[in-house]
Amino acid sequence: MSATNPLDSVYFITLPQDAPLKTAGVLRLDSSIPLPVQKKEGDDDAPLNTASLSEEQLLSGLLKVLAYDGANPHLEYYRSLLVQVRPNIKTELAEAAILKTKNEDWDLAEEIWQALHGLAPQDPAITLNRALFFDQRADSYRKNELHVDADAYDAQALECYRQAMDYDPEIPDAFFNAGFFYLKLRDFGEAKSAFENYLGLTVDAKDEDLGENGLYKKRRAQEIVESIKNRDLESDLFRDAYHFISTGQEEKGLDKIRQFLQKNPAVWNAWFLLGWGLRRIERFADARLAFEKALECDGGMESADTLNELAICQMETGDFDGARNSLSDALSIDPENTKVISNLGYVALKAGKTEEARGYFATVLEIDPTDKIAAAQLEQLEHED
């Protein structure tokens, strides 16, 4: 998140209604309202030559204000100008934002989503897409161990999901996607509620109207709701355990999850949480036993994360062959999991197989060119050659 004010690159000028402007059509200008225009590269603080003012400068200036100046008193006027210049501007921006998000061009994607929100603040599709964007960006930061930034973007995602679920009429996909977001946060009570709302909104929909994807979503939502119920994951003990461990209060969290396990000894998620807490305080041998127990429970083998965490503990306790086997099993579940591939690189390094490690870290960067951990490891290996 940059500290630079994006509006520093915008001029605010006043033009008469009949001022010349290089646009595709004739604009209905209000000469009493200042017009934001983007500075060209190399522009200084000298007065702007309005005769050379281009459509691109106008569009960029308007979008910057919509994105970063939500308190501007002239937003409605600026929105109307944008639609005059580009009637399909909302569709164009949405397509560009989705492409930039897919390519993980995070800063530019965020600016476009912000501008879209400023252009249509009540559009439910934009609100939901912003939630998904913030969710994805948080995941990217967390993968690169940037936990403070990840938490900040998760908070923005949560706010957008809440807004999306508040629309009237209600949007089923808002609840479905929010359900998975809450699962990521281990807030199983909110996840269950979101999925139950999704099921309630789609209960009367005909199969032919839902289509194959909609029917899959209904089955998946129902499975998750039943799993949360059967494993008692709504329990305050489980929720508090995750909260304490994730906020650095591991001993408090471990006490809570042990209490939960006394009542629910066959819940793999609980054994995973116990192992995670123990691993965070470097009790690797004990954590290894907890992760092994998680794998024995129903559903435990379905998660690549469990196998990845087990492999970390195996590495730390000197069982490199076991770690390699666990990571191979994890890749069979999630073949492009960059955390798993990176850990295969670390196992290779600990075994003195430098070229093999280099190959794993290079593979991570092929999948995700923004992965800072793999890039740093490759750079370090280059310096050691």
Side-chain angles (χ1 to χ4, degrees), residues 28 63 85 148 383:
R28 295 184 297 276
L63 290 171
V85 177
V148 173
H383 290 155

Side-chain angles (χ1 to χ4, degrees), residues 235-245 252-253 256 273:
S235 162
D236 289 344
L237 286 171
F238 192 97
R239 185 194 62 230
D240 292 345
Y242 178 77
H243 169 74
F244 284 131
I245 294 172
K252 288 183 179 180
K256 294 289 185 182
L273 197 52

Side-chain angles (χ1 to χ4, degrees), residues 29-306:
L29 296 176
D30 184 337
S31 58
S32 69
I33 298 177
L35 198 64
V37 293
Q38 179 72 44
K39 296 178 183 179
K40 292 181 180 178
E41 188 174 349
D43 280 352
D44 52 26
D45 293 329
L48 181 69
N49 179 7
T50 57
S52 65
L53 187 60
S54 68
E55 179 179 305
E56 288 73 21
Q57 285 178 276
L58 174 63
L59 286 171
S60 295
L62 291 169
L63 290 171
K64 278 280 171 64
V65 171
L66 290 178
Y68 299 110
D69 190 7
N72 192 294
H74 306 301
L75 292 180
E76 282 299 329
Y77 173 63
Y78 295 150
R79 291 179 186 121
S80 72
L81 290 182
L82 271 170
V83 175
Q84 286 182 61
V85 177
R86 292 280 182 85
N88 297 320
I89 187 68
K90 193 160 70 170
T91 300
E92 294 173 17
L93 288 175
E95 291 174 350
I98 290 169
L99 178 62
K100 294 300 179 183
T101 301
K102 183 178 180 181
N103 293 335
E104 298 192 1
D105 189 347
W106 299 119
D107 289 339
L108 184 52
E110 181 168 353
E111 182 167 306
I112 299 171
W113 284 122
Q114 290 292 98
L116 264 168
H117 176 62
L119 179 63
Q122 300 304 318
D123 188 313
I126 291 173
T127 300
L128 183 53
N129 274 309
R130 288 179 73 229
L132 292 167
F133 166 77
F134 290 132
D135 193 353
Q136 288 176 266
R137 188 162 192 179
D139 289 346
S140 176
Y141 277 127
R142 189 162 285 107
K143 182 177 61 179
N144 285 291
E145 304 295 330
L146 301 171
H147 296 289
V148 173
D149 285 333
D151 290 344
Y153 277 107
D154 270 341
Q156 292 190 68
L158 178 58
E159 178 60 27
C160 287
Y161 279 124
R162 285 173 172 166
Q163 291 174 14
M165 289 187 288
D166 279 343
Y167 279 106
D168 185 13
E170 293 170 309
I171 310 164
D173 276 354
F175 292 93
F176 186 80
N177 292 328
F180 281 102
F181 177 74
Y182 284 121
L183 285 181
K184 181 181 79 170
L185 300 183
R186 303 296 197 278
D187 192 338
F188 292 101
E190 290 292 345
K192 177 172 168 285
S193 176
F195 286 120
E196 285 176 334
N197 274 291
Y198 172 78
L199 291 168
L201 291 169
T202 56
V203 66
D204 294 327
K206 296 179 180 178
D207 289 356
E208 56 267 30
D209 293 333
L210 287 171
E212 185 176 343
N213 187 50
L215 290 172
Y216 164 78
K217 287 181 177 180
K218 285 189 71 172
R219 288 194 301 271
R220 189 74 181 105
Q222 189 62 58
E223 289 169 0
I224 292 170
V225 167
E226 292 302 320
S227 176
I228 292 172
K229 286 180 180 177
N230 294 338
R231 296 173 183 173
D232 196 25
L233 296 178
E234 293 177 274
S235 162
D236 289 344
L237 286 171
F238 192 97
R239 185 194 62 230
D240 292 345
Y242 178 77
H243 169 74
F244 284 131
I245 294 172
S246 64
T247 56
Q249 303 174 76
E250 285 86 1
E251 292 296 346
K252 288 183 179 180
L254 290 170
D255 179 62
K256 294 289 185 182
I257 201 61
R258 288 189 181 102
Q259 292 180 52
F260 178 90
L261 280 166
Q262 288 176 2
K263 300 178 180 179
N264 304 276
V267 175
W268 78 263
N269 315 70
W271 288 106
F272 178 91
L273 197 52
L274 178 65
W276 184 49
L278 291 167
R279 196 265 294 165
R280 282 170 60 105
I281 58 175
E282 300 186 358
R283 289 175 56 181
F284 297 111
D286 291 334
R288 174 177 177 169
L289 293 175
F291 289 125
E292 288 173 343
K293 186 67 176 178
L295 293 172
E296 294 173 6
C297 295
D298 182 41
M301 280 297 293
E302 298 171 6
S303 172
D305 285 342
T306 308

